[in-house]
Amino acid sequence: MTHKLEKVLYTAQAHTTGGRDGASKTSDGALDVTLSSPGSGKPGTNPEQLFAAGYSACFIGAMKAVGPKVGVKVPDDVSIDASVSLGPIKGGAAYGIAAKLAITLPGLDDEQKKKLVDAAHEVCPYSNATRGNVDVELSIA
């Protein structure tokens, strides 16, 4: 199901050349990266690494947004170790990704952690974009 935006709050723009062995730069110049295929040994990052960084940062932002609503303060030292895997799907004719977020919330009890993570998973734009299409595993420490 497609979710239409009710209002555009921000639009990121990037110009990419060369695909996985190219380069990408945002219109504001804040991001300017060399790209390389996973396992190639070439300098640069790959789309899966960028996705892992983006999803984990967005998820922390979502926890901070929902924390006051669910009565749980996000610890200052919150962290997420994100893994994004690439592999074949549909009998090897196409490729897909899977994501794992290992969420560390020091100082909270198990009930607070679950309440916060569940609420964040409902509002996080990356969670909403991947829901029903990408295997996402959340673990809480």
Side-chain angles (χ1 to χ4, degrees):
M1 170 157 86
T2 302
H3 298 280
K4 300 277 186 193
L5 298 179
E6 293 178 7
K7 177 182 175 183
V8 174
L9 300 176
Y10 172 77
T11 300
Q13 297 176 325
H15 179 75
T16 303
T17 57
R20 287 182 171 273
D21 293 307
S24 191
K25 182 177 183 178
T26 56
S27 58
D28 64 1
L31 179 70
D32 189 352
V33 295
T34 300
L35 301 169
S36 64
S37 294
S40 70
K42 295 179 182 176
T45 189
N46 61 64
E48 292 72 29
Q49 291 170 321
L50 294 169
F51 194 93
Y55 197 171
S56 56
C58 189
F59 202 90
I60 290 173
M63 288 191 293
K64 289 179 178 181
V66 300
K69 295 173 185 166
V70 298
V72 179
K73 182 184 179 321
V74 177
D76 290 337
D77 52 351
V78 60
S79 65
I80 296 179
D81 291 315
S83 302
V84 174
S85 300
L86 170 71
I89 57 172
K90 298 180 185 173
Y95 289 87
I97 60 171
K100 294 181 181 180
L101 301 182
I103 304 155
T104 302
L105 294 161
L108 299 182
D109 65 37
D110 289 345
E111 184 179 324
Q112 290 173 312
K113 291 176 185 179
K114 181 165 177 27
K115 181 189 280 189
L116 184 62
V117 168
D118 288 350
H121 193 43
E122 289 301 312
V123 304
C124 175
Y126 276 70
S127 293
N128 285 322
T130 58
R131 189 170 286 113
N133 187 46
V134 172
D135 182 22
V136 175
E137 180 184 319
L138 304 177
S139 63
I140 306 169

